[in-house]
Amino acid sequence: MLAEAQRLSLLAPVALYDAAAFLLASSGRALPALRLKWPNDLLAPDGGKLAGVLLEARAEGEEVSYALLGVGVNVAWAPEGAAFLQAYAPLSRREVLEGFLLKLEALLPLLETPEALLERYRQASLTLGRKVRVHTGKGVVEGLAEDVLPDGSL
């Protein structure tokens, strides 16, 4: 169903946020304040990008032929201006992957309860309550990000 595929673009960043927060807390070190930047980036406390999620789906009407989920996490290294998880705790790529997949599986039921998923996303969001600038096919739109809707739009 198309609506569930759209919600997957919100669920995956929440799973990534939960996994990173859990892994960092489990390391015994001070937990940094991680946040989600709309629509799909995980940010470090200094604003550097730790990870990102992309979703590609093919749909005809309400029927989804496929959905591909791509996740990139800076574990041991990051390009200039970005951040990486090992700066906060000695985590392996395997631990990060396992943590993400476990959280993603645990959160899958939220695809059936959009309001619960939206609430989880809102709690982790850095974007809501801030001025934003979005480039659309019709031009640039600026305004205050007040909420995220079930389709992932602001």
Side-chain angles (χ1 to χ4, degrees), residues 100-146:
F100 170 68
L101 292 175
L102 288 170
K103 292 294 182 181
L104 183 65
E105 182 179 32
L107 293 175
L108 281 174
L110 290 179
L111 291 176
E112 302 294 329
T113 55
E115 273 309 310
L117 172 58
L118 289 170
E119 186 54 36
R120 293 291 304 277
Y121 188 90
R122 289 175 187 127
Q123 289 170 1
S125 176
L126 175 69
T127 305
L128 297 181
R130 292 181 174 228
K131 290 183 181 181
V132 294
R133 178 180 218 181
V134 179
H135 297 269
T136 71
K138 296 179 182 178
V140 176
V141 178
E142 295 183 17
L144 182 68
E146 295 178 347

Side-chain angles (χ1 to χ4, degrees), residues 9-115:
S9 68
L10 296 175
L11 182 82
V14 170
L16 191 56
Y17 170 87
D18 283 359
F22 175 79
L23 289 167
L24 292 171
S26 297
S27 74
R29 298 188 181 195
L31 180 63
L34 304 176
R35 300 303 296 265
L36 292 176
K37 178 183 171 195
W38 182 86
N40 53 18
D41 290 339
L42 178 65
L43 301 183
D46 66 358
K49 184 174 175 176
L50 285 166
V53 176
L54 292 175
L55 177 72
E56 180 181 324
R58 181 178 187 141
E60 291 185 29
E62 285 294 310
E63 289 300 313
V64 176
S65 302
Y66 67 84
L68 299 174
L69 183 63
V71 180
V73 181
N74 299 330
V75 177
W77 174 88
E80 187 175 332
F84 60 100
L85 287 171
Q86 286 182 356
Y88 300 97
L91 299 171
S92 71
R93 289 178 178 91
R94 182 180 176 149
E95 288 173 305
V96 174
L97 177 60
E98 287 176 351
F100 170 68
L101 292 175
L102 288 170
K103 292 294 182 181
L104 183 65
E105 182 179 32
L107 293 175
L108 281 174
L110 290 179
L111 291 176
E112 302 294 329
T113 55
E115 273 309 310

